[in-house]
Each structure stands twice: as C-alpha cells, then as structure tokens.
Amino acid sequence: MVDPHHAAHWYPTAAYLYVLWLDALALAWEYLRRHPDYRLDWRRRARRPDAGQRWGLRLLEDPAMDARDAHPAWLPGHDAVVQLYPDADPPVDAELFAFWRIPGHKQLLHDGRGLTLIARSPGHWQRFVLAPGLEDGMAVAYAYRGRGVTHAPDTPAPMARPRPPPAVLLELHTLHALDATLAGASLREVGEGLFGADAVADWYSDGGLRSKVRRLVRRGDALMRGGYRRLAQLPPLEKGRFEGDAKRP
C-alpha cells in the first residue's frame, strides 16, 4: 500500500495528463525543473544571477511552475524555433505577419535579448523569435535553423491527436515515476501509482513489471541529470560538471 503522506502530489495520474501535449522544449523544462541542484540555484539566484548558463538557460525560471505556465529562456539553437524577419524583397503573394491569426493560446516574452512568441494548442506548439521592426501586417520571411529563409511557413502539425503515441505516454510515465522516486517511494509503490494495485499484486513474481518500473525510474533520473539537454538540443555537459558545482558553498 502506498504511504499517503508522501504520495499526495505524485500519485494521481490525471495530474500528468498535460504532459501528453508538450513539445520537446517543454519536456526538457519538466525534467530540468525537478533537478535538486537547479532548485537550489533558483533559491540562491540573488547570489548567482548567471547560474542559468550551466543549465542551458539565459535566465533561471521558477521550478515550481510546470511547462504550462513557465517561460524558460533557453539558449538559442533549437530547430523548432522559427525566426521571423520583415521581408525586404517580398514576392507579390508574400505571406503577411498576422499575429491574431496564429492559432492557439499566445504568449509574448522578452528574455533580455529579444521578443519570443509561443502559440499553444492541443498537440501543437509553435515557437517564434520576432526580429526588431516586425509589425502586424508586414510581409514576413521565415528562417529555419539549418535550412535558410523561406517566404512561407512549414505546414502546421495537426491541431489534435485522437490517441497519444507510445513515445508520449513514455514521457508521462517517466515523469510520474521520477516524481514518485524523488518523494521517496519504493519501486513497488511507483509501480502501484503508475499501473494500479492489481498490477502489482504479484510484484515479486512479475519480473517484467519490476524491470519496466526500474527502467522508467532510471530514465527519469538520467533525463533530469543532464539528459534533458538532448531534448533542448543543447551540447552535453562535460563529465563531472554537476558534481563540481554541487560542492560549491
């Protein structure tokens, strides 16, 4: 039986359903914000205002906020971020920048370097960096990292998915297992929280389930402790980087 005292915030699977609709950068934030050292840096941010760099961020973001509310300012480089520029030589049928026609819930953010636009709808995230001087109604050029500039945007992804693919469910289960582990749950308790009491009734004879839960726990820990950088398309950490930083006073 799961101890209710340490299960309150991780046990309900419904609390993780929003994970099904996150993109790679949002998932990276979900893993990063759980890192104990990152949370420590956030508490000490007045003393270390530049601490975000070691995590791949321009600025530290509040780890208490999940990806629906947080606005982490990642270091540039992710190919999902589209750069929008005023088109200096537009064709006759040039695409016009129309802020209010972009589908989804929109957020405008300034990270100290420039203006970023995030548009979210179920199953679809769009991220843009707006060049200075771009105004609503102007002809716009879309710059994709590694693919140059085009006059037309990529075809949007579907607005909704009838059934989450296995890869998305894996992230939900991984975050669920990670939270349970950070709360002090045993592997059996993690399995019960994820798959139900009936599933773990034969826990000690069901090696397959134990292995599955163990893999989820290990995967979550690895993503939290640097693996999130792959999701954010950041360079990997140098070996021992976190260990050295963790010993600072």
Side-chain angles (χ1 to χ4, degrees), residues 111-240:
D111 62 4
R113 296 285 187 89
L115 198 60
T116 299
L117 169 62
I118 301 174
R120 297 180 300 168
S121 52
H124 185 211
W125 289 58
Q126 296 181 90
R127 298 174 183 269
F128 305 98
V129 174
L130 308 185
L134 181 64
E135 298 179 5
D136 203 54
M138 279 186 171
V140 63
Y142 298 77
Y144 296 88
R145 191 169 297 277
R147 291 188 285 146
V149 178
T150 178
H151 295 291
D154 281 351
T155 303
M159 292 298 293
R161 291 174 290 193
R163 188 172 186 176
V168 175
L169 290 173
L170 175 62
E171 302 300 346
L172 183 151
H173 287 150
T174 301
L175 284 166
H176 201 170
L178 177 58
D179 280 347
T181 304
L182 292 172
S186 66
L187 285 178
R188 190 182 191 282
E189 289 172 334
V190 175
E192 181 178 339
L194 267 65
F195 305 112
D198 291 343
V200 300
D202 298 322
W203 175 256
Y204 295 105
S205 61
D206 189 348
L209 180 60
R210 293 202 312 274
S211 295
K212 182 176 183 179
V213 173
R214 191 177 295 111
R215 285 195 301 271
L216 288 170
V217 169
R218 288 176 177 171
R219 183 175 186 270
D221 187 72
L223 283 163
M224 178 183 71
R225 298 184 185 279
Y228 73 89
R229 300 178 73 92
R230 175 179 51 81
L231 293 170
Q233 295 182 2
L234 295 166
L237 282 171
E238 299 173 7
K239 189 173 181 180

Side-chain angles (χ1 to χ4, degrees), residues 95-102 106 135-138 140 142:
E95 179 86 12
L96 301 181
F97 179 58
F99 179 86
W100 295 111
R101 294 184 63 187
I102 297 173
K106 290 171 278 293
E135 298 179 5
D136 203 54
M138 279 186 171
V140 63
Y142 298 77

